[in-house]
Amino acid sequence: MWPRGLAKLHPAAGLLDVLSSEGCPCDLGENWTKKHILEAINRGNHISATQQEESKCMEQEAKEKVAAGYAKIIQWKDIMNNIPPNLKISPAAMIPHKSRLFRMILDLTFRLRKNGKNFPSVNSNTKKLAPQKSMTQLGSTVKRIIHIMNRNYNLSYAFMFSKCDLKDSFWKMVLNMMHAWNFFYLLQHKTSTPVEERRLVVPNALQMGWSESPLLFYTATETADGVSVIDHLYGRKYHVESVVIWC
């Protein structure tokens, strides 16, 4: 999401410029040790991502994201001797979805447990940097629509509403590569696949499952609210309002 055109008039345009050019802010706490990373690789994904049909869908989804420029796929052997300091690996899960058989969600709340010790999850170590008030109007959609209609009541003009569904919406919010290493996940592999040949997905955008993703996404989508434009068709000035429903 890159602010341009009328979005530049919004008070938050400067913030959106930063998010678009520098990526969403991330501070995910202490770096993981190599032992922690290897344990996560050996543990692998949740069982829902290891079944044949689910695994096939996960592979296809990863390829679509790579083709769209949202991610890349590497092998562990490519970085095992030069591990990025903030690399973290979380298990993926596949859940049924309305528009496809399954959809991948990264479980960033997962805390690996080994020999009675709990390792921290990505979410548990995340510092809150996103605007915490960006979702304060969530749940007030109907009230806002009624308010807008009442404030702009005019028998001469009909109200027109539009609904825009952003596919893979979180994936429209970018991360820079320094932060992308925090959101690694594994593609399914055969049990006989050597560890060094196991494949990893490196996303460069917000992940569904990260605690800060809704706040950062909502920050961007709210900027459409309150932009005044000129209606050239009727030669009148009117107020365009967005009522964002996040789910």
Side-chain angles (χ1 to χ4, degrees):
M1 293 184 180
W2 198 294
R4 52 190 178 270
L6 291 167
K8 287 287 190 179
L9 302 177
H10 195 280
L15 171 61
L16 285 191
D17 269 329
V18 172
L19 296 181
S20 299
S21 59
E22 300 179 15
C24 295
C26 296
D27 187 340
L28 281 68
E30 294 182 4
N31 296 331
W32 286 13
T33 63
K34 187 173 183 178
K35 178 182 178 181
H36 187 177
I37 294 170
L38 287 172
E39 292 288 357
I41 293 175
N42 288 323
R43 193 270 177 190
N45 293 320
H46 289 316
I47 192 170
S48 64
T50 62
Q51 308 305 306
Q52 184 174 3
E53 191 65 33
E54 288 87 335
S55 179
K56 183 179 178 181
C57 289
M58 184 180 184
E59 183 88 19
Q60 181 60 33
E61 184 176 337
K63 289 180 179 179
E64 290 174 0
K65 289 172 179 175
V66 170
Y70 296 153
K72 64 179 181 179
I73 298 174
I74 64 173
Q75 288 186 309
W76 172 241
K77 65 181 179 182
D78 295 333
I79 58 171
M80 59 185 293
N81 294 320
N82 187 25
I83 302 173
N86 56 346
L87 187 146
K88 301 174 179 66
I89 298 175
S90 299
M94 296 297 287
I95 61 170
H97 193 259
K98 61 182 179 180
S99 60
R100 62 183 77 178
L101 284 178
F102 299 96
R103 180 163 203 173
M104 192 281 294
I105 289 184
L106 195 56
D107 185 2
L108 295 165
T109 66
F110 182 77
R111 299 183 66 184
L112 184 67
R113 184 175 178 84
K114 189 70 175 181
N115 298 326
K117 177 185 177 182
N118 283 326
F119 291 95
S121 70
V122 169
N123 276 350
S124 65
N125 272 3
T126 294
K127 294 183 179 180
K128 297 180 179 180
L129 300 179
Q132 298 300 303
K133 295 182 178 180
S134 62
M135 294 177 64
T136 55
Q137 298 186 63
L138 186 65
S140 64
T141 303
V142 174
K143 292 181 180 179
R144 292 174 65 188
I145 291 175
I146 293 172
H147 174 70
I148 292 167
M149 294 179 70
N150 179 68
R151 190 179 64 185
N152 297 279
Y153 180 70
N154 189 330
L155 287 175
S156 301
Y157 300 100
F159 281 101
M160 292 182 289
F161 296 91
S162 67
K163 176 182 178 293
C164 299
D165 187 2
L166 298 176
K167 180 184 177 184
D168 296 326
S169 53
F170 283 2
W171 288 84
K172 303 297 190 292
M173 300 290 292
V174 299
L175 296 166
N176 62 45
M177 274 310 300
M178 180 180 70
H179 295 146
W181 301 108
N182 290 288
F183 301 100
F184 263 52
Y185 62 93
L186 287 159
L187 284 178
Q188 187 51 32
H189 54 269
K190 296 179 180 179
T191 54
S192 59
T193 303
V195 173
E196 61 271 16
E197 294 183 9
R198 294 180 184 177
R199 293 173 302 153
L200 300 156
V201 178
V202 194
N204 61 6
L206 292 185
Q207 292 298 294
M208 185 177 294
W210 186 39
S211 56
E212 293 280 86
S213 290
L215 294 162
L216 289 164
F217 174 70
Y218 214 69
T219 297
T221 54
E222 274 290 299
T223 58
D225 186 29
V227 177
S228 295
V229 298
I230 302 297
D231 181 352
H232 294 288
L233 181 61
Y234 296 106
R236 66 184 179 88
K237 191 172 184 178
Y238 69 96
H239 201 59
V240 176
E241 296 273 0
S242 72
V243 180
V244 181
I245 303 174
W246 178 86
C247 59

